[in-house]
Amino acid sequence: MSEYLAQLLDISKSFPGVKALDHVNFDLRPGEVHALVGENGSGKSTLVKILSGVYTKDEGTILINGEETVFPNPRAAQDKGICIIHQELNLCRHLSIAENMYLGREPKKILFLDQKKQIEDAQAILDRLNVDLDPTTRVGDLTVSKQQMVEIGKAISTNARIIIMDEPTSALTVKEIDELFTIINVLKREGHGIIYISHRLEELAAIADRVTIIRDGQHIATLNYEDTDQEAIIRYMVGRELKEKFPRVPTNPGKTIFEVKNLSAGRAVKDVSFSVREGEILGIAGLMGAGRTETIRAIFGADPKDGGQVFLHGKEISIHRPLEAIETGVFCVPEDRKKDGLCISMPVYQNVTLPNMEMVTDRGVVNTAKEVAMASATINELSIRTPGVGQTVKNLSGGNQQKVVVGKWLVKPAKVILFDEPTRGIDVGAKVDIYNLMNELKKQGIGVVFVSSELPEILGMADRIVVMCEGRVTADLDASEANQEVIMQYATQYM
Amino acid sequence: MNQTAVEPKIRTGKKLSRQATQLISTAIALLALVVVFTLSNPNFISMMNILNILKQASPIIIIAIGQTFVLITAGIDLSIGSVIACSGIVAAICMRAGWPVLIAILIGLLFGVAVGAINGLLIVYGKLPPFIATMGTMTTVRGLALFLTQGIPIGNLPKGFTQIGTQRTWNIPNQVFIMVILALIFGFILAKTKTGRYTYAMGSNYEATRLSGVNVNRTLITVYMFSGFLAAWAGMIMTANVISAAPTAGDGYEMDAVASSVIGGASTLGGEGLIPGTVLGALVIATLRNGLNLSGASPFIQKIIIGIVIITAVFIDRFRRND
Ligand SMILES: Nc1ncnc2c1ncn2[C@@H]1O[C@H](COP(=O)(O)OP(=O)(O)OP(=O)(O)O)[C@@H](O)[C@H]1O
Ligand SMILES: [Mg+2]
């Protein structure tokens, strides 16, 4: 028996125009959490996709329990006890928890499905994880975090020894993250090895035993977590000192730019009012499901409003469709990049120009040279890592896709920009770039609304913080009065 | 149509864009057919036969262009075949009433545009799935064609009209000219204009496109109007060609249009398709029909073979895409 569950030796992988991995080494012991960190596009997802059979390596060796192995496809990796939980969850929403866990390997009695055994087995696994869920619940009715628990349950039901989590916490709230960590600790005790990818470096302190840093597809260091700290990791990641994590600039708030009065929409938004002043960033905090995204969508005209008024520079505006919002200068960077933000099968430049077509067309005819120029400027401004403007967005790393979503709204002049979780999946260095961009907008007198579930960044960047709970505004705080405890208290006021 | 010419300048990191490889492989398939049929029957490659193929292919190419637009938006237009018949009948009725040919043609084309607009409105505001909406208009319009003619073809059309389908200019059939002009115009719209870009974007991700401020309703209705307009053109050509407007004309043509688009690289899941590809795809089908005819294969066998070709083409494409 080898000391390692898995060893990846000298792994290289190229995509057309990109060397994603360049002789990278990585290993995993039983009962440990080995964190994998690096900038956007540094090759983290590629490395774990090679270990889980999604991609095949160009060079190098994979040892599983000391034996050399090749994975022609994901199935082969699964048979060797390797399971990957992608950031985009792969569950069937209309099936139950139990059905999802045993999809494709349902227990059978002669020819028929053994429903009872399937439910019992699923229950046993949920119990083992200490998750309080009924296995017959439809997965579509669960929150993202619970769906993730189901994915983990599915992983251990296949007897996976190696569990890979690619950015599992980017869509979770603080409390849900705690639940996830509890489960990870259970898995550790049971001797599973866990590979953990995240851009939330502060999480590593709670769970990581070792950490490997890669940069530009190269292995930079592997350290015991106790021998290092966040600053050192960041230094390894970006190759330089990061001066400030939250580059706040002083404010001198002027008159009100944008105001929302008594907005209600659907069941999730009830009588919401807030305003944004010139020269400030307005943060909106709250737990997942507090109605922040629904509020933003209703303002932007993505969903219908049931009541309330919206004012821009003191004049009431009526927005029924995103088209009208954009015409009046109100833009929205949506929360879910795959669903709402990107045409994933189209090239980078066409995604950047989509909301800005009038700037790159002459009487309806597209001027490709102008398009390329516009996209190149965005790529430079946000340091989007791509072999060219023509690369299909699908082939970008998660964080770089997110930058495209943000970038497409920074081209034409705005009056108000509603950012919904703009830094999701973005690395530490690039987050600072986005914060600086928001600062720049605020200096230009553009209203900045900043929704985020990461309290540190709200506290670090917002000048004023509106807290929401159960569809209502529960507090409107000055940055100086706000801290983690106060916000959490208002965020759970009605719970 | 210039999409492939522009693409290489935009570095994709790939050697050739997927679309370019698709075009090349459809062209190779077409070439292979030509070689095989020429070997089995030297008459196949004669100028006359080639012009004949182009003439036969013209209406299919024209409707396939419209269907390509629709498929790219992840929709489908089943009403095409009925519009072919009914637009011809509408024009024929006008001409028999003594109206000038040009006006009659214009009214026939407007009829097609109107049906397209109804399709679009049903889909956008009625929230009907495209399959259902256009299946409804397919039946309704076919019924209208039968009702207007009482089931009897309308003949005796003025010569000024029938020469569209029977005469040649510089020895090339007139409908081939019309087809080429329409292909150029709509190829340009799809590849080089805002409307074309929005068409692709809606098929790639409708919600993201809507949230980007694109007037998705208007674009979708426009796309179905294009399809109706082009189907009406096919109706004019076919009516002129057989010198009468038959209520049963164009039956099943919507499926030929889908097949041509798909062989040429369009995806029924939306987001993909090129006019040059569709033109080649329609030529593949027309060449296959013509070649099999020349070699004396029965129409039944032809159906079997064309069906297999469609499935193979899509299968090869899927296989390559997973690579
Ligand atoms: N299928 C693909 N085709 C082409 N290039 C790809 C493909 N997958 C990844 N790449 C490229 O490989 C590089 C590494 O990507 P990877 O997804 O591994 O990054 P990552 O470290 O996971 O980044 P992030 O933190 O943004 O998720 C990137 O430059 C990316 O553009
Ligand atoms: Mg990644």
Side-chain angles (χ1 to χ4, degrees), chain A residues 14-16 18-21 38-47 49 55 87 166-167 197 199 214 337 385-387 391 394-401 425-427:
Chain A
S14 293
F15 297 106
V18 193
K19 181 127 198 174
L21 293 173
E39 289 178 290
N40 296 130
S42 57
K44 305 178 295 294
S45 297
T46 305
L47 186 66
K49 281 178 182 166
Y55 294 150
Q87 195 191 336
D166 195 350
E167 297 189 41
I197 300 179
H199 287 294
I214 55 179
R337 60 174 172 258
R385 196 172 300 202
T386 167
Q391 176 74 310
K394 198 175 3 193
N395 292 338
L396 297 189
S397 78
N400 284 301
Q401 291 180 4
I426 285 191
D427 69 51

Side-chain angles (χ1 to χ4, degrees), chain A residues 16 302 323 342 345 364 366 371, chain B residues 13 192 194 197 204-205 210 213:
Chain A
L323 179 60
L342 295 169
S345 61
V366 178
E371 282 197 286
Chain B
K192 297 298 285 177
K194 202 154 78 171
R197 178 64 56 76
S204 177
N205 186 344
R210 184 176 79 96

Side-chain angles (χ1 to χ4, degrees), chain A residues 277-453:
Chain A
R277 285 173 298 179
E278 197 171 290
E280 72 175 2
I281 294 175
L282 177 78
I284 302 187
L287 301 181
M288 206 75 49
R292 295 165 303 164
T293 293
E294 289 79 1
T295 303
I296 298 292
R297 286 181 60 95
I299 296 172
F300 186 58
D303 294 331
K305 300 179 192 56
D306 296 333
Q309 294 165 293
V310 179
F311 297 88
L312 181 62
H313 291 299
K315 267 206 284 279
E316 180 165 3
I317 51 173
S318 92
I319 296 171
H320 303 286
R321 296 190 292 168
L323 179 60
E324 293 165 3
I326 293 161
E327 274 166 2
T328 48
V330 178
F331 301 170
C332 169
V333 176
E335 175 187 35
D336 187 333
R337 60 174 172 258
K338 284 253 164 62
K339 191 165 130 296
D340 298 330
L342 295 169
C343 293
I344 207 91
S345 61
M346 290 171 57
V348 173
Y349 77 96
Q350 294 188 0
N351 272 280
V352 172
T353 56
L354 188 61
N356 309 305
M357 285 304 278
E358 69 281 358
M359 298 169 72
V360 292
T361 46
D362 306 313
R363 283 194 228 95
V365 178
V366 178
N367 182 331
T368 312
K370 279 191 196 167
E371 282 197 286
V372 170
M374 180 186 285
S376 305
T378 304
I379 286 170
N380 283 337
E381 188 173 352
L382 294 178
S383 341
I384 298 173
R385 196 172 300 202
T386 167
V389 294
Q391 176 74 310
T392 311
V393 170
K394 198 175 3 193
N395 292 338
L396 297 189
S397 78
N400 284 301
Q401 291 180 4
Q402 180 65 29
K403 291 185 195 174
V404 175
V405 179
V406 175
K408 70 191 238 189
W409 291 110
L410 299 177
V411 177
K412 63 180 172 188
K415 297 206 173 77
V416 176
I417 305 188
L418 313 165
F419 290 96
D420 196 354
E421 309 278 0
T423 63
R424 175 171 287 180
I426 285 191
D427 69 51
V428 271
K431 271 183 186 166
V432 176
D433 293 342
I434 292 205
Y435 300 147
N436 280 326
L437 264 162
M438 290 199 286
N439 282 337
E440 191 55 37
L441 295 171
K442 125 176 165 183
K443 257 189 252 160
Q444 293 167 10
I446 293 163
V448 181
V449 177
F450 176 32
V451 174
S452 171
S453 299

